[in-house]
Amino acid sequence: MALKLPSETLKVVQITPNTNSNISLGKYGTFHANHLIGRPYHLTFELVEDPIEKGNTSLRLVPAAELYEHFKAENATPEESVNGGPGVEYEVVNAEGKVVMRTNQHIVDNAASQRLSNEEIEALKQGETSSGRNIIAKILESHSALDKKTSYALAKYTLRKTRKFMRRFTVLPLDVPLLTSWMVNEKDGGRIMDIREEMLAQICSWANVYCDDTLSLEQNPGNAPLSNSNRWLVIDETGGLIIAAMAERMGILYPQMTIGNSQKSDEVSRELAIPHEQILQTNALNQSSMSIIAQESAMSATTNSITLIHPNPQPNLSLLTYFGYEAGNPDARHPLHTNLRTLSWLQLLHPEEDSAYQEPEGIPEQELAIMKSSKKGTYYRKRRRWQRTKSIVDDTRAGNFAGLIVASVMAPATVLHHVVPLLQGGTQVVVYSPTIEPLTKLVDCYSKLRRTAYQNAENPQVPSGEFPVNPLLLLAPTIYTARTRPWQVLPGRTHPKMTARGGAEGYVFVATRVLPLEAKVDPRGTYQKRKADISNSAQTPSGEAMDLDDG
């Protein structure tokens, strides 16, 4: 989950029940993690001192009326900001001489306006027990120029002090858009190739990612090619952010909540009075069998699955840990354990050179019977790993995928040359790049002129300098971009926010996979072009030629 602090920053935390752990919010304080378990999301809490146990902090739910009361002053109209007290100088009037609004032109807001010193404010913070409200009230009371501020300035000043001293936070669920915003604005945006929330949504929309788990392995017993299997091919170098966005749309991102088996077994054992030693032995056998089943079921989905091609020995899926999936030690109950399939570029292009694709040497049944259990387990693990790797590589090389998404620092043409032939006809190809230059080169590779030159060539070689890719495989290449720019929308103060983050703009290449005809198509029949008779071009209505020189 994510905790939104008064300073508009996010703190991502993981809470484990019954661990007696604390969550630190820095200068705002610390509280027990168990206080948030069982509470709904999107609620705002205050940290208050426990009146019973001194030194401990408890949480108070902030009502909606109290939470949004400052918006009334912040959204005040210009007429409401007029204060007609004596001695006030007005500078904004209309044509009739009526006062419209006063300004802060003659107000000097410096340190001398605040009568409280830093030492006194720190002393108030040390003895504060009311979640910062008393500090804010003291600061407003000690400001010498507070009565000269307009309603706008007063609301802005109060909001700034509230964000600084109020000990509040809002609990938010950590989903893909929130994780994207947190990575771009507060963490390292280059780690995810500067993909923003709106660009990530555009990628999934153009790729037509959806959930379709109706076709299962039982409905396809003959291992026939799956024509509408909803299998997606991905090259993701954003730490797993693209895969997380796709898995969220496909319904396989979040683990299913189940009741713990250990709690059930404890209740059954108390009812039947089973000895404790027998319970431990049974649990050990169950865990061993569950681990074997988990190894056999890993990456076994044939529909509603994602196939990831990565350049390294192991894929970089670090961002999936925020959703309960660890690539090094995956949980068998997580949907991605079966629906996410990974292989390297070496396994895709040259599987015979990969050691994991080579079948291990078989051992006769007679030798297996007399082998030690540890060596026997090692042998079976190697066999299962080889069978899983071979199945993934063979299925990927067979193709028939429902779409392709590429987010990589490699040259797009070198990537598409190998993976576009693996797609079905009519599917979408989406390539993301932080800059537009690689995508413009890619559009030129699939342009109409390039296709014409390829068709007229006698023996075109692909890849080559003239044809990096086969230009007949993709149709209608287009480049898109999208960026939402935040605006401040207030009465009389509507303008773009000046503190928006810059960074890469981000562009998306979109094209449609087509299946070109192998044979050359020539038109049949004869067609004779009619030539215009110049001598009869200037005729009078009666059929006589007009003398142009005589008029």
Side-chain angles (χ1 to χ4, degrees), residues 14 58 63 75 103 106 205 219 255 303 357 362 395 431 476 504 516 528 545:
Q14 182 180 6
S58 60
N75 296 332
T103 65
H106 302 291
S205 297
Q219 297 171 341
T303 180
Y357 189 78
D395 291 346
V431 182
Q528 185 176 3

Side-chain angles (χ1 to χ4, degrees), residues 455-456 472 515-525:
Q455 291 174 342
N456 296 333
L472 304 179
L515 303 177
L517 292 176
E518 298 295 338
K520 186 177 181 180
V521 179
D522 294 327
R524 290 189 175 184

Side-chain angles (χ1 to χ4, degrees), residues 220-483:
N220 189 32
N223 263 345
L226 302 178
S227 58
N228 190 18
S229 56
N230 200 29
R231 296 161 56 239
W232 299 92
L233 194 60
V234 183
I235 294 93
D236 182 10
E237 296 185 10
T238 62
L241 183 63
I242 297 290
I243 293 179
M246 296 177 61
E248 188 176 39
R249 290 195 172 210
M250 300 168 65
I252 56 175
L253 179 60
Y254 303 102
Q256 299 177 358
M257 303 300 295
T258 57
I259 302 176
N261 294 328
S262 59
Q263 181 180 0
K264 290 184 177 180
S265 61
D266 293 341
E267 295 176 358
V268 173
S269 62
R270 284 194 297 267
E271 293 178 0
L272 301 180
I274 302 176
H276 184 66
E277 293 78 5
Q278 184 177 353
I279 296 174
L280 294 178
Q281 184 179 4
T282 304
N283 291 337
L285 292 175
N286 291 336
Q287 292 179 0
S288 177
S289 60
M290 286 296 295
S291 62
I292 295 176
I293 295 175
Q295 293 178 9
E296 292 179 351
S297 63
M299 307 183 187
S300 60
T302 58
T303 180
N304 204 42
S305 63
I306 303 174
T307 301
L308 171 66
I309 305 176
H310 54 88
N312 302 317
Q314 296 296 331
N316 180 15
L317 301 174
S318 57
L319 294 183
L320 292 182
T321 57
Y322 293 104
F323 304 100
Y325 179 80
E326 296 182 5
N329 186 22
D331 187 0
R333 296 170 297 181
H334 201 286
L336 289 178
H337 177 69
T338 56
N339 294 66
L340 177 60
R341 317 180 80 185
T342 62
L343 74 158
S344 63
W345 282 106
L346 178 63
Q347 294 173 343
L348 177 66
L349 303 180
H350 306 285
E352 66 280 353
E353 300 180 7
D354 185 67
S355 58
Y357 189 78
Q358 305 299 326
E359 183 178 3
E361 184 180 357
I363 300 178
E365 294 294 337
Q366 295 80 5
E367 296 184 13
L368 285 175
I370 60 176
M371 287 177 62
K372 293 182 179 180
S373 60
S374 59
K375 294 184 177 180
K376 188 184 300 184
T378 303
Y379 170 75
Y380 283 122
R381 281 195 299 271
K382 290 182 178 179
R383 297 289 298 183
R384 286 193 296 266
R385 178 191 175 190
W386 166 74
Q387 292 175 357
R388 181 174 65 250
T389 303
K390 188 175 185 304
S391 174
I392 294 173
V393 173
D394 293 345
D395 291 346
T396 305
R397 291 171 63 89
N400 205 31
F401 286 92
L404 170 66
I405 296 179
V406 179
S408 174
V409 296
M410 296 185 291
T414 59
V415 175
L416 297 188
H417 168 66
H418 298 288
V419 296
V420 168
L422 304 177
L423 302 179
Q424 301 175 8
T427 57
Q428 296 295 315
V429 175
V430 179
V431 182
Y432 169 80
S433 176
T435 57
I436 195 174
E437 287 77 12
L439 300 185
T440 55
K441 296 179 181 179
L442 189 60
V443 170
D444 178 68
C445 294
Y446 291 100
S447 62
K448 182 179 180 180
L449 296 178
R450 192 80 63 168
R451 289 198 304 269
T452 304
Y454 184 85
Q455 291 174 342
N456 296 333
E458 295 182 358
N459 189 16
Q461 299 294 328
V462 178
S464 61
E466 185 178 3
F467 303 109
V469 293
N470 188 349
L472 304 179
L473 300 183
L474 292 184
L475 191 65
T478 313
I479 298 178
Y480 297 93
T481 185
R483 184 160 191 164

Side-chain angles (χ1 to χ4, degrees), residues 123-313:
L124 290 175
K125 292 171 61 178
Q126 295 296 330
E128 176 62 28
T129 60
S130 61
S131 183
R133 287 190 296 273
N134 291 339
I135 299 179
I136 299 174
K138 288 285 185 180
I139 291 176
L140 295 178
E141 182 181 355
S142 302
H143 199 285
S144 59
L146 194 67
D147 56 340
K148 299 179 181 180
K149 290 182 177 292
T150 63
S151 178
Y152 293 162
L154 180 60
K156 190 174 181 180
Y157 182 79
T158 306
L159 181 61
R160 186 167 66 248
K161 297 305 176 183
T162 301
R163 291 178 176 177
K164 185 176 182 180
F165 295 105
M166 187 65 73
R167 302 167 61 187
R168 289 178 177 177
F169 65 91
T170 304
V171 183
L172 301 175
L174 185 62
D175 51 7
V176 175
L178 188 62
L179 178 63
T180 306
S181 176
W182 179 60
M183 290 294 299
V184 170
N185 298 324
E186 302 183 25
K187 294 295 181 179
D188 186 11
R191 182 180 170 188
I192 60 174
M193 300 180 65
D194 291 322
I195 296 182
R196 300 181 305 276
E197 177 183 350
E198 60 273 15
M199 186 59 64
L200 191 62
Q202 190 178 34
I203 290 173
C204 294
S205 297
W206 277 115
N208 194 24
V209 179
Y210 63 96
C211 177
D212 184 13
D213 56 353
T214 56
L215 186 59
S216 62
L217 187 61
E218 291 76 8
Q219 297 171 341
N220 189 32
N223 263 345
L226 302 178
S227 58
N228 190 18
S229 56
N230 200 29
R231 296 161 56 239
W232 299 92
L233 194 60
V234 183
I235 294 93
D236 182 10
E237 296 185 10
T238 62
L241 183 63
I242 297 290
I243 293 179
M246 296 177 61
E248 188 176 39
R249 290 195 172 210
M250 300 168 65
I252 56 175
L253 179 60
Y254 303 102
Q256 299 177 358
M257 303 300 295
T258 57
I259 302 176
N261 294 328
S262 59
Q263 181 180 0
K264 290 184 177 180
S265 61
D266 293 341
E267 295 176 358
V268 173
S269 62
R270 284 194 297 267
E271 293 178 0
L272 301 180
I274 302 176
H276 184 66
E277 293 78 5
Q278 184 177 353
I279 296 174
L280 294 178
Q281 184 179 4
T282 304
N283 291 337
L285 292 175
N286 291 336
Q287 292 179 0
S288 177
S289 60
M290 286 296 295
S291 62
I292 295 176
I293 295 175
Q295 293 178 9
E296 292 179 351
S297 63
M299 307 183 187
S300 60
T302 58
T303 180
N304 204 42
S305 63
I306 303 174
T307 301
L308 171 66
I309 305 176
H310 54 88
N312 302 317

Side-chain angles (χ1 to χ4, degrees), residues 51-73:
I52 301 177
E53 299 181 7
K54 299 298 182 180
N56 293 336
T57 305
S58 60
L59 299 181
R60 184 184 76 90
L61 179 61
V62 181
E66 179 183 348
L67 183 62
Y68 297 105
E69 63 181 358
H70 68 278
F71 281 96
K72 182 178 180 180

